[in-house]
């Protein structure tokens, strides 16, 4: 049985030093956690004033806090006398193994990061990407969600989008409406052009600049093909295309021009 002197030596050699180490480790963890929270919050507010996407801001904020917490935990373990070199090595090996296992997901993550930074499109844009056309609903870290013209939801991995051509039909304020009207060789080309010009000028959605083009584009085997290319606002593209196609056909009928 230990006597009083041995108890005092044991207390001084082990209890007091370890108590101090544990207390310091706890202080490092608590204060470090508080600092990580404050710094990540300040970073989030700072990035919030930029043009970065909210999803990207939240991700950067969370990543910064996680990295700071890793440093805090390593510092606390070091205070307890734990060999942090081994801990860092284990974390590195675990990170490498996870990276190899989730290679495809990491590719989608990296692509999502690039999409959120460079913003080739945003929510609400009508785009064609990865062979799918639709309106963007949400750009996530791993995938992008869009809906098609017939209201089908499509979820596309970001890696697939970033590695393919992206056509953004909403990026510019105006679009050219390309149409072809085929008339017979026996019809009057000048009359057909005048009829088309009259229909186009009557539509207020057609822009005066750039000036609409009406020209003989091809002499086909059985028809003279007139290229008609008016300009309209991007949001008016389909209504203008549909309406002009119908009105020009009716105007041809009224003037005896065959298609």
């Amino acid at each position: 049985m230990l006597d009083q002197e041995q108890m005092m030596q044991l207390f001084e050699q082990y209890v007091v030093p370890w108590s101090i180490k544990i207390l310091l480790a706890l202080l490092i963890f608590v204060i470090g956690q508080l600092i990580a929270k404050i710094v990540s919050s300040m970073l989030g507010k700072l990035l919030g004033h930029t043009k970065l996407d909210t999803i990207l801001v939240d991700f950067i904020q969370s990543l910064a806090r996680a990295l700071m917490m890793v440093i805090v935990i390593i510092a606390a373990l070091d205070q307890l006398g734990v060999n942090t070199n081994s801990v860092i090595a284990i974390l590195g090996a675990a990170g490498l193994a996870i990276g190899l296992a989730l290679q495809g997901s990491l590719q989608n993550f990296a692509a999502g990061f690039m999409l959120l930074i460079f913003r080739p499109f945003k929510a609400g844009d009508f785009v064609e990407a990865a062979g799918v056309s639709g309106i963007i609903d949400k750009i996530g870290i791993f995938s992008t969600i869009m809906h098609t013209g017939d209201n089908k939801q499509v979820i596309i991995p970001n890696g697939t989008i970033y590695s393919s051509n992206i056509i953004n039909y909403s990026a510019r304020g105006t679009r050219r409406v390309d149409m072809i009207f085929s008339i017979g060789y026996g019809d009057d080309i000048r009359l057909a052009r005048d009829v088309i010009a009259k229909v186009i000028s009557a539509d207020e959605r057609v822009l005066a600049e750039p000036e609409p083009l009406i020209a003989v584009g091809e002499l086909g085997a059985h028809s003279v093909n007139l290229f008609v290319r008016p300009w309209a606002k991007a949001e008016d593209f389909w209504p203008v295309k549909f309406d002009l196609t119908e009105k020009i056909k009716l105007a041809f009928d009224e003037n005896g021009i065959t298609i």
Side-chain angles (χ1 to χ4, degrees), residues 136-158:
I136 300 295
D137 291 325
K138 180 181 179 182
I139 309 169
I141 293 296
F142 294 100
S143 62
T144 295
I145 301 175
M146 67 169 66
H147 67 272
T148 60
D150 54 353
N151 208 30
K152 292 185 292 189
Q153 179 174 285
V154 183
I155 302 174
I156 308 174
N158 287 331

Side-chain angles (χ1 to χ4, degrees), residues 42-181:
M42 292 176 60
L43 180 63
K45 291 180 180 179
L46 181 64
L47 294 176
H49 294 295
T50 66
K51 295 182 179 180
L52 293 178
D53 194 275
T54 305
I55 298 173
L56 182 58
V57 172
D58 292 341
F59 172 76
I60 294 175
Q61 183 179 355
S62 300
L63 181 61
R65 185 172 181 179
L67 291 175
M68 286 187 286
M69 285 305 302
V70 169
I71 296 174
V72 169
I73 292 172
I74 291 176
L77 291 175
D78 184 66
Q79 182 62 42
L80 292 175
V82 178
N83 187 352
T84 53
N85 291 331
S86 301
V87 175
I88 294 173
I90 292 172
L91 290 175
L96 178 61
I98 293 173
L100 292 174
L102 301 176
Q103 187 174 1
S105 297
L106 290 177
Q107 180 185 0
N108 291 328
F109 163 77
F113 191 80
M114 300 300 286
L115 288 175
L116 290 171
I117 289 179
F118 293 107
R119 300 174 67 85
F121 51 75
K122 63 182 183 298
D125 284 354
F126 178 67
V127 304
E128 180 180 336
V132 180
S133 299
I135 297 175
I136 300 295
D137 291 325
K138 180 181 179 182
I139 309 169
I141 293 296
F142 294 100
S143 62
T144 295
I145 301 175
M146 67 169 66
H147 67 272
T148 60
D150 54 353
N151 208 30
K152 292 185 292 189
Q153 179 174 285
V154 183
I155 302 174
I156 308 174
N158 287 331
T160 305
I161 293 177
Y162 201 73
S163 61
S164 63
N165 294 332
I166 301 173
I167 302 175
N168 190 336
Y169 295 101
S170 304
R172 300 182 179 273
T174 60
R175 286 185 64 186
R176 192 180 71 189
V177 185
D178 291 356
M179 298 178 291
I180 298 177
F181 293 94

Side-chain angles (χ1 to χ4, degrees), residues 216-236:
V216 177
E218 296 173 338
L219 297 177
H222 305 287
S223 64
V224 177
N225 298 326
L226 301 178
F227 286 10
V228 180
R229 295 177 175 176
W231 288 78
K233 293 181 179 180
E235 60 268 24
D236 292 334

